[in-house]
Amino acid sequence: MKISQRHPWPTTVDEAIKIQEQLQLEVITEDNLKQPLQYVAGVDMGFEEDGAISRAAVAVLSFPDLQLQETSIARRPTTFPYIPGFLSFREIPAVLDALEKIQTTPDIILCDGQGIAHPRRFGIACHLGLIIDIPTIGVAKSLLIGKHEDLPETQGSWQPLIHKGDTVGAVLRTRTGVKPVYVSSGHRVSLPTAIDYVLRCTTKYRLPETTRFADKLSRD
């Protein structure tokens, strides 16, 4: 997999902010995807030894039938603290190690975290997508920024997520009567396409199958 070293990994928040502000200018929120998609992937993180070791997991599934094709796990020392809005600096180094191990290059990656629904419009999905030049979607389990109207309980319902007057994502009900997820463009994917693929990757659970497989790998 093509992985470009875009910057040194920072050790301070000030350094991280500069990187986010610089790279955010390169984020593409319009569709630039291979068609038809053959493989989708999920990435997720776990931590060992009280957070001292980062454990990244990648799961690659066939699309549209969502059958598991390949997995990888990578571990490395954690070098950046847990600070909301800066998770990519804590998590991506290990994720890149895991991605380097896979033989099947995914056509799109669903990240357990934010895309542009981020204070500086540069969540982990944006950051990862730029580094590996693969379309990415942010699928977060909790709200980081923004407000939205009340969401109907039915599967497939969604409302725009608004922050400072901009639509930065969508709050999406993937299953009737369950808590929603927060979807936003990462890189090379529009919001309508992101919503569509999240729903197409979701079966009988709240989270997409990509995320469920990667989450289990990151914890087991």
Side-chain angles (χ1 to χ4, degrees), residues 95-148:
V95 169
L96 295 178
D97 291 345
L99 286 169
E100 284 185 326
K101 295 181 178 182
I102 63 173
Q103 301 300 310
T104 307
T105 300
D107 300 308
I108 195 167
I109 297 177
L110 279 63
C111 299
D112 180 33
Q114 310 290 347
I116 66 166
H118 179 275
R120 286 166 295 284
R121 308 294 187 261
F122 197 72
I124 188 170
C126 305
H127 202 161
L128 181 63
L130 276 176
I131 290 175
I132 62 177
D133 194 27
I134 288 178
T136 50
I137 299 170
V139 189
K141 295 187 285 287
S142 59
L143 180 68
L144 179 62
I145 60 165
K147 297 182 179 180
H148 59 86

Side-chain angles (χ1 to χ4, degrees), residues 8-205:
W9 292 104
T11 57
T12 69
V13 168
D14 286 344
E15 292 171 344
I17 289 174
K18 289 179 181 178
I19 291 169
Q20 289 178 333
E21 291 177 342
Q22 179 181 359
L23 293 185
Q24 192 280 329
L25 301 175
E26 300 180 36
V27 171
I28 297 170
T29 55
E30 298 176 353
D31 290 332
N32 182 4
L33 300 90
K34 172 185 173 183
Q35 295 290 351
L37 267 63
Q38 291 182 291
Y39 299 104
V40 294
V43 298
D44 206 349
M45 287 292 301
F47 293 90
E48 302 172 355
E49 298 181 18
D50 293 326
I53 300 297
S54 299
R55 172 173 167 160
V58 176
V60 183
L61 284 64
S62 55
F63 186 84
D65 58 339
L66 304 177
Q67 298 300 303
L68 186 64
Q69 302 295 306
E70 187 178 0
T71 64
S72 72
I73 294 174
R75 296 175 175 85
R76 68 153 57 198
T78 306
T79 58
F80 200 87
Y82 173 79
I83 306 173
F86 299 93
L87 296 188
S88 64
F89 299 100
R90 179 177 173 86
E91 299 184 358
I92 284 182
V95 169
L96 295 178
D97 291 345
L99 286 169
E100 284 185 326
K101 295 181 178 182
I102 63 173
Q103 301 300 310
T104 307
T105 300
D107 300 308
I108 195 167
I109 297 177
L110 279 63
C111 299
D112 180 33
Q114 310 290 347
I116 66 166
H118 179 275
R120 286 166 295 284
R121 308 294 187 261
F122 197 72
I124 188 170
C126 305
H127 202 161
L128 181 63
L130 276 176
I131 290 175
I132 62 177
D133 194 27
I134 288 178
T136 50
I137 299 170
V139 189
K141 295 187 285 287
S142 59
L143 180 68
L144 179 62
I145 60 165
K147 297 182 179 180
H148 59 86
E149 299 294 330
D150 291 341
L151 185 65
E153 291 290 327
T154 53
Q155 180 182 14
S157 299
W158 66 276
Q159 288 285 353
L161 185 61
I162 308 297
H163 181 249
K164 295 183 177 179
D166 296 329
T167 298
V168 296
V171 52
L172 172 66
R173 190 87 66 187
T174 55
R175 299 292 296 165
T176 298
V178 303
K179 292 192 297 184
V181 296
Y182 300 87
V183 177
S184 56
S185 301
H187 183 51
R188 294 174 49 189
V189 182
S190 68
L191 180 59
T193 298
I195 293 169
D196 179 49
Y197 279 117
V198 170
L199 289 172
R200 292 172 72 182
C201 289
T202 303
T203 57
K204 57 183 179 179
Y205 300 98

